[in-house]
Amino acid sequence: MPDKAAPMDLTRFSALADAYGGRVQTWPEAERAAALAFAQSEEGKAVLHRAAGLDSLLAGYEVPPPSIDLHARIVQAGTASLAPRVRARRWWLGFGLAGVGLAGALAGTLAIAMLDMPSRSDHFNLETAATAFGDTGTDADTSEEGS
């Protein structure tokens, strides 16, 4: 057994007509049965007549296309306000790229300095004493052969 819809009052019927227009068929389904019953009253007919008049007025309204002058002014205003922001963004982007480049150069210099640092020790390192012509160790003779 379906639930019987609560009877519609003038305030609720007027609010629905203001929101959904003068055709009860476009109203929410839960409200239609009670609205159709109330629409048979004189008050309901008056509300629907007023809403139908507004519906026809709105249906006939047409927005004219913008003029070429208005279009040009809108585009000009948009590009004028955008230009300083674009310049500032490009400046900060260049500044950031220069900062990144400087940080990279500094990090590279520091890495090379740390890796190329000679080891300081008190003992003699054979690897650094060897040359292509032979060993230049501590006991190597520095005089020429045959003299």
Side-chain angles (χ1 to χ4, degrees):
M1 172 180 210
D3 292 333
K4 179 99 171 156
M8 181 84 49
D9 63 342
L10 179 62
T11 306
R12 179 72 180 147
F13 190 81
S14 296
L16 288 168
D18 289 343
Y20 296 103
R23 293 185 54 226
V24 178
Q25 293 79 10
T26 61
W27 293 12
E29 195 171 326
E31 305 280 353
R32 279 189 211 151
L36 286 171
F38 190 83
Q40 302 304 319
S41 69
E42 291 301 318
E43 295 168 324
K45 288 179 185 177
V47 169
L48 287 180
H49 181 68
R50 188 179 71 240
L54 181 60
D55 287 347
S56 65
L57 182 68
L58 290 174
Y61 185 74
E62 210 174 293
V63 177
S67 67
I68 294 174
D69 180 49
L70 176 61
H71 183 269
R73 286 186 301 175
I74 291 171
V75 169
Q76 182 183 15
T79 56
S81 67
L82 185 64
R85 286 186 280 175
V86 169
R87 279 195 303 263
R89 186 178 300 150
R90 286 184 183 160
W91 188 87
W92 280 108
L93 180 62
F95 186 70
L97 288 175
V100 166
L102 183 62
L106 183 62
T109 302
L110 184 63
I112 289 173
M114 294 297 286
L115 292 175
D116 197 35
M117 190 178 291
S119 62
R120 305 211 184 254
S121 64
D122 293 336
H123 70 281
F124 182 73
N125 190 351
L126 290 178
E127 292 176 5
T128 59
T131 66
F133 301 107
D135 189 11
T136 59
T138 55
D139 50 342
D141 191 9
T142 55
S143 62
E144 292 184 24
E145 283 196 35
S147 33

